[in-house]
């Protein structure tokens, strides 16, 4: 991750600390790894990364709830297929 998608490291480290390190609970590790694998898989490839960022930007800028929901559902599908 540090080599291919260093922009993720601050959020990864923060999430690791909050979800795993500070709690001493290993139960969430599989979900944590699955989530961050998706983030890494998207961020390391400029095409999907730009597409997901564009979908988020468009969802944040629209005043139409249905449009925002559809855009975020597309992001969700992309993340689902990266697993």
């Amino acid at each position: 991750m540090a080599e291919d998608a260093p922009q993720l490291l601050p959020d990864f480290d923060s999430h690791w600390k909050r979800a795993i390190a500070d709690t001493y609970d290993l139960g969430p590790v599989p979900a944590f790894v699955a989530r961050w694998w998706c983030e890494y898989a998207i961020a390391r490839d400029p095409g999907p990364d730009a597409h997901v960022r564009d979908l988020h930007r468009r969802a944040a800028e629209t005043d139409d709830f249905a449009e925002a929901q559809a855009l975020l559902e597309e992001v969700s599908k992309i993340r689902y297929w990266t697993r």
Side-chain angles (χ1 to χ4, degrees):
M1 185 182 295
E3 187 174 317
D4 296 325
Q7 71 278 14
L8 296 179
L9 289 177
D11 287 340
F12 176 88
D13 289 340
S14 174
H15 188 200
W16 175 261
K17 187 181 249 186
R18 187 177 66 255
I20 311 298
D22 288 350
T23 66
Y24 299 99
D25 181 5
L26 298 179
V29 168
F32 179 89
V33 170
R35 184 221 168 173
W36 282 100
W37 169 254
C38 290
E39 296 296 328
Y40 170 72
I42 292 167
R44 72 181 175 177
D45 189 338
D49 185 48
H51 183 58
V52 167
R53 282 187 284 113
D54 181 57
L55 291 168
H56 277 286
R57 179 192 55 76
R58 290 170 42 205
E61 291 175 353
T62 187
D63 292 330
D64 181 349
F65 177 79
E67 180 183 1
Q69 186 176 20
L71 292 165
L72 295 176
E73 284 175 2
E74 186 173 345
V75 170
S76 179
K77 288 176 186 174
I78 292 167
R79 286 197 167 108
Y80 177 81
W81 289 110
T82 61
R83 297 186 306 159

